[in-house]
Amino acid sequence: MAQANPEVKYVASVRTALSGPDECLMRQLPKAYVSQNVKDVLEYLTTHDQLTDDEVAVAGSVREEMKSDYTVAVNGTSARSEDKVRGLFTEREHQNVPYKALDMEIASVQEGGLASLLQ
Amino acid sequence: MVSRAIEGAVMDNDQVFGLAQRTPIFVINGQVHYCFGNSRSGPNTFKFHSDRVRPVKEGPSLRVLEKLRDIKLSESYAIYQDIFIKEEFKRSGLTNLGGDNNLVRFVLRNVFPYLRHDDEGMLASVFNTKAKSKKVSKQSKSGKAVRDYDKKVADYFEGRVKYFENERSRYKPIVPTKSSRSRNRMKEKSLDAILLPVSVRKGIDLGGEPEVDRRDSVLYSLTNGQDFAIIDRSLYFLRKMPLGGELNVDGRGYILENAIESRKLFLEFSKRKANELSLDALRHKFAENAEYQKLRTKEIDIAKYAGVNTYHEGEFGFEKAADNKLLLYAKIPDYVLKSPGREAYYRFKGHKIALRLKWNSGYKNAGLDRGPHKLSHVVGPFYDGSGSSGLCMGHYNHDYFDRMDRGKAIAKYLLDARNVILHGYQKGSNPYRSLSDSNFEDRRISLREIKKKKLPITNINYQRGRRR
C-alpha cells in the first residue's frame, strides 16, 4: 500500500550512454529546478557541491559528453536540452513510496553525419 | 555415473523442488510458505506482476522437508556411499600391492586351502557345502603388516577428506552477476537515501544475521543464507520491505528481485548433496564398509608376505622366482622304495618338487609355466639322470585343468606329482631308471637300517586303482 505523502519528491539521475553499472548520478531535485529545462538540471547534477569522490568521475564523464554535440534521452525518450523538465517526469514507486523520476542518458554525437539532426 | 545417479535421485525426490513445480514457494527464516487455493481468506498474500492476488499458506520448515527427503533416499544414499568407497579404494592403489603379489595372493587364497590338512575345507569341497570361514581374532592380525596397511589406508582417506573439504570451502552461493547487483544496489541505495526516512532505512534487512541456523541446509548455502522464492522455474531473492510488497507474510512485506533460472540451483544443489555424501562416507563409513573389510582381509594376507621371498607351511610352500614367477612346492621327505618282486630297498633323499606358476594378467588367473620338477640335485627312478630336473609322470592326463577351479587343479597336480615320487614305483610302471643296483647301487639300504632309522617304505601297501 502506498505511503500517504502529500509532498511527492522529484528525483533526477544522469548517466552516459556507455557508463558502467555504478556510473550514475542521482539527486533529489529542489523545487526550483522542477520548472527549469533539461540543460539546467544537468548542470545542477554535475556541479553540485556535494558530489562524492566516486561521483566526481561520473560528473566529469557527463560534462565531457556535453562538450561536443550530444543527445539526451529522458525516461527513454529523446529530448532537447531546452525542453522543460516539468512535463518529462514519470511517476514511480520505491519501497512503496511514490516519487517523480527523471532518468537522463547523455550520448555525444560525432561531428558531421548526425550533427544535422540536432537542434 | 554413480554421482549422476544420486544427483538425479536427489533432484527427483527433493520436497522443496517438488512443491515448487506445482506452486510458487517462499522460504522465509527456514519456513516454507506456498500459494494455495484462490480465496483470500488470510492475511498472507502474493501478487506477482499482473497476476491476481493469491493466498499464501504456511508449510513445514525447510529442515523438515530436507529431512523427509533424506529419509526417503536413505537407501539410495547408502548404496551410493558403498559404491563410492569401493571406487575410492580401488583408486587408492591399495588394492594391488605389486604385480607379483597376484600370484602370492592366488596361491594363499586359492591353492593352499587344498594343500593344508584342513578337513573342514576339504569336506566342504567333497560334500558341496560351504566351509565355515575361520574367524580371525584381532590379536592374531595385529602384526606390523596389518598396522602398516591400515595406516596406508587411513592416510589415503585422510587426504581425500581434505580434498572434499577444500572443494566445499570453494562453494559459492548462487547469486546474480556482480554488475546487475551493483547497478541495482547503487540505484536502490540512492533512492533509499532520498525517499526514505532514516528509521525505515535502518529497518531494511538485506539478508543479515539469520534468525534460524541455516548452516546445515544445502539450499541456504546456495543462497548465501538469504530467503528466497521459486516461481515458474525461476529463483528470486526476497527483500524485506517496511511497508508491504509483492509478498506479505506474517505482517512483513517482501519484494522479489534478481531472478535466476532455478535449474541452475537444482543442479548445484544435487552436486553439493553428492559431495556431502562422499565426505560423510570418507569420514565415517569406510571403516565399517563391507567391501572395504573384504578387501582389507585380502590385502592383509598379501601385505604380510609382500616382502617375503620364501614361505613354508607344513609340507608346502612357495619361493619367488625370476620374472615375477612363483615356485609352488611340496616337500618330499627322505623315503625308501622297494624293488617289486625283490627284497631290495633303495633310499632316496628328501627334496622339493615344484610347479612354476605365472600370472596371466589377461585372464586374471594363475597359469602353469613349468610342470613338476625338482628344486635340488637328487636322484630317483622318475628323474632322468641326464641333468633335467623334470619329473616323469608318464601319460598323466591334465584335462581336469579345463573344468576344475584353477587353484584346486594346481593343488591336485602338485599332490599327484608327490604321489608319483613316493608311491608310483609299482610292478608294471615304466620309470626313467628302474630300481636296480646298476642304477642306484649307492642308494641301496638294508631292511635293518630302514627299521633302525625309521624310514618310510612308501611304495608298499599301496592299492592300485582299477584300470578300465
Side-chain angles (χ1 to χ4, degrees):
Chain A
M1 209 169 144
Q3 183 185 13
N5 188 348
E7 197 169 322
V8 174
K9 291 181 181 175
Y10 293 84
V11 179
S13 69
V14 64
R15 57 165 28 91
T16 64
L18 296 173
S19 65
D22 297 333
E23 294 169 0
C24 166
L25 293 175
M26 181 179 282
R27 286 286 182 278
Q28 181 182 354
L29 266 189
K31 272 189 192 169
Y33 278 87
V34 176
S35 54
Q36 299 297 317
N37 62 29
V38 168
K39 189 173 177 187
D40 293 331
V41 172
L42 285 171
E43 289 284 342
Y44 168 75
L45 287 174
T46 55
T47 56
H48 198 293
D49 58 6
Q50 288 184 19
L51 284 174
T52 65
D53 290 343
D54 292 337
E55 290 173 335
V56 165
V58 178
S61 297
V62 172
R63 293 184 75 78
E64 199 61 35
E65 296 288 296
M66 288 169 69
K67 274 182 186 170
S68 50
D69 296 329
Y70 63 91
T71 61
V72 181
V74 178
N75 292 329
T77 306
S78 290
R80 296 171 300 181
S81 49
E82 61 269 25
D83 287 344
K84 297 290 184 193
V85 298
R86 183 179 289 280
L88 299 177
F89 285 95
T90 189
E91 290 184 359
R92 290 202 187 131
E93 273 190 11
H94 171 72
Q95 303 264 15
N96 276 348
V97 175
Y99 68 101
K100 296 205 177 183
L102 195 81
D103 288 336
M104 296 180 287
E105 190 172 294
I106 305 285
S108 63
V109 176
Q110 290 177 359
E111 286 178 2
L114 296 173
S116 61
L117 297 178
L118 299 175
Q119 294 288 330
Chain B
M1 287 286 284
V2 174
S3 180
R4 283 204 190 141
I6 197 69
E7 285 169 17
V10 168
M11 275 176 65
D12 291 341
N13 288 280
D14 188 78
Q15 309 293 314
V16 175
F17 292 140
L19 185 59
Q21 284 176 7
R22 298 195 291 276
T23 188
I25 66 155
F26 316 94
V27 180
I28 301 169
N29 288 335
Q31 199 71 27
V32 176
H33 304 262
Y34 58 97
C35 287
F36 181 77
N38 293 313
S39 57
R40 289 178 55 182
S41 53
N44 297 343
T45 58
F46 174 59
K47 184 179 182 336
F48 197 47
H49 296 155
S50 57
D51 292 347
R52 67 184 193 289
V53 176
R54 297 180 66 180
V56 173
K57 194 174 159 122
E58 183 177 299
S61 71
L62 183 64
R63 186 180 292 222
V64 164
L65 288 182
E66 288 186 324
K67 279 225 174 299
L68 274 175
R69 174 204 62 221
D70 289 342
I71 288 168
K72 201 170 169 188
L73 290 176
S74 58
E75 201 175 311
S76 300
Y77 290 168
I79 292 170
Y80 168 79
Q81 288 180 317
D82 263 352
I83 296 173
F84 171 76
I85 288 174
K86 185 177 170 183
E87 288 181 357
E88 277 292 314
F89 208 46
K90 281 185 183 161
R91 186 183 175 283
S92 72
L94 291 165
T95 57
N96 183 11
L97 300 177
D100 58 354
N101 288 315
N102 282 320
L103 270 177
V104 172
R105 176 190 292 118
F106 178 85
V107 162
L108 286 172
R109 307 294 288 183
N110 299 85
V111 181
F112 268 45
Y114 292 102
L115 298 177
R116 287 178 180 130
H117 290 297
D118 185 342
D119 291 340
E120 194 168 335
M122 297 306 290
L123 283 170
S125 175
V126 168
F127 291 107
N128 202 27
T129 55
K130 264 194 176 171
K132 289 176 198 169
S133 56
K134 287 180 182 169
K135 281 187 187 172
V136 179
S137 68
K138 266 195 176 175
Q139 288 76 18
S140 70
K141 293 284 184 186
S142 59
K144 184 174 181 303
V146 176
R147 288 194 298 275
D148 286 350
Y149 183 74
D150 283 344
K151 186 170 182 327
K152 274 184 194 163
V153 171
D155 286 348
Y156 171 77
F157 276 93
E158 195 183 313
R160 292 296 284 163
V161 164
K162 281 186 182 152
Y163 167 79
F164 278 93
E165 282 175 345
N166 191 40
E167 285 295 297
R168 190 162 75 168
S169 70
R170 295 211 297 244
Y171 286 167
K172 285 183 183 158
I174 304 285
V175 291
T177 60
K178 188 182 173 189
S179 59
S180 62
R181 280 202 91 183
S182 271
R183 183 192 290 259
N184 291 340
R185 291 292 298 264
M186 274 280 302
K187 188 178 171 185
E188 297 295 314
K189 274 177 75 175
S190 298
L191 286 170
D192 287 347
I194 293 168
L195 299 172
L196 303 179
V198 171
S199 58
V200 171
R201 266 183 264 154
K202 277 189 180 171
I204 292 171
D205 182 349
L206 293 173
E209 286 300 311
E211 292 170 22
V212 295
D213 187 355
R214 304 168 190 216
R215 283 170 298 178
D216 57 354
S217 167
V218 177
L219 273 175
Y220 264 135
S221 74
L222 288 164
T223 63
N224 203 23
Q226 290 190 60
D227 294 332
F228 60 93
I230 303 178
I231 302 162
D232 291 335
R233 297 198 184 91
S234 290
L235 170 83
Y236 299 84
F237 293 92
L238 297 179
R239 192 154 173 264
K240 283 181 193 171
M241 299 270 290
L243 302 164
E246 293 161 302
L247 173 70
N248 292 285
V249 172
D250 298 338
R252 295 199 85 158
Y254 302 85
I255 55 169
L256 279 60
E257 56 183 21
N258 304 327
I260 299 166
E261 194 190 334
S262 61
R263 178 161 175 79
K264 196 174 164 190
L265 180 76
F266 296 164
L267 291 172
E268 187 63 24
F269 167 76
S270 304
K271 187 177 145 196
R272 290 193 193 186
K273 188 65 194 174
N275 276 355
E276 292 302 311
L277 289 172
S278 303
L279 195 53
D280 178 62
L282 287 169
R283 277 183 180 149
H284 307 298
K285 302 277 173 65
F286 86 83
E288 69 212 28
N289 177 264
E291 188 62 33
Y292 163 68
Q293 286 298 332
K294 194 169 121 189
L295 290 167
R296 179 178 179 269
T297 304
K298 267 170 103 170
E299 294 308 320
I300 281 170
D301 285 345
I302 306 314
K304 278 164 72 175
Y305 305 115
V308 169
N309 289 325
T310 64
Y311 173 74
H312 189 82
E313 180 185 318
E315 294 170 5
F316 308 95
F318 65 78
E319 294 174 7
K320 286 183 184 171
D323 300 327
N324 289 333
K325 291 174 185 170
L326 195 85
L327 291 168
L328 174 72
Y329 65 78
K331 215 170 162 193
I332 309 291
D334 288 352
Y335 63 103
V336 172
L337 296 177
K338 180 182 182 293
S339 178
R342 292 167 57 215
E343 284 302 312
Y345 302 88
Y346 299 86
R347 177 186 180 178
F348 296 98
K349 204 171 162 191
H351 60 285
K352 293 172 184 171
I353 184 72
L355 299 173
R356 192 165 67 205
L357 305 179
K358 62 183 177 184
W359 185 251
N360 290 324
S361 54
Y363 294 104
K364 291 192 180 159
N365 209 346
L368 275 176
D369 190 57
R370 189 183 171 189
H373 59 283
K374 56 186 175 174
L375 291 185
S376 52
H377 182 64
V378 295
V379 296
F382 296 105
Y383 296 119
D384 80 9
S386 67
S388 166
S389 55
L391 177 74
C392 172
M393 290 177 71
H395 300 292
Y396 184 73
N397 190 343
H398 305 85
D399 288 352
Y400 60 88
F401 264 84
D402 294 334
R403 61 179 185 276
M404 195 180 277
D405 169 75
R406 183 55 57 91
K408 189 176 178 181
I410 288 173
K412 174 178 165 54
Y413 198 9
L414 191 63
L415 290 172
D416 286 350
R418 189 173 74 162
N419 283 344
V420 163
I421 296 167
L422 294 175
H423 313 298
Y425 199 103
Q426 302 291 328
K427 182 180 176 182
S429 32
N430 193 14
Y432 265 130
R433 297 162 79 193
S434 58
L435 282 178
S436 63
D437 288 356
S438 58
N439 287 328
F440 298 110
E441 186 185 6
D442 58 333
R443 304 269 103 211
R444 189 81 186 257
I445 185 172
S446 67
L447 193 56
R448 192 158 59 104
E449 273 295 302
I450 291 167
K451 285 177 180 174
K452 185 179 168 186
K453 288 178 180 171
K454 294 182 183 169
L455 293 171
I457 305 171
T458 57
N459 65 331
I460 61 173
N461 298 330
Y462 182 70
Q463 301 298 316
R464 297 202 69 166
R466 285 183 203 162
R467 290 190 191 280
R468 290 187 179 177

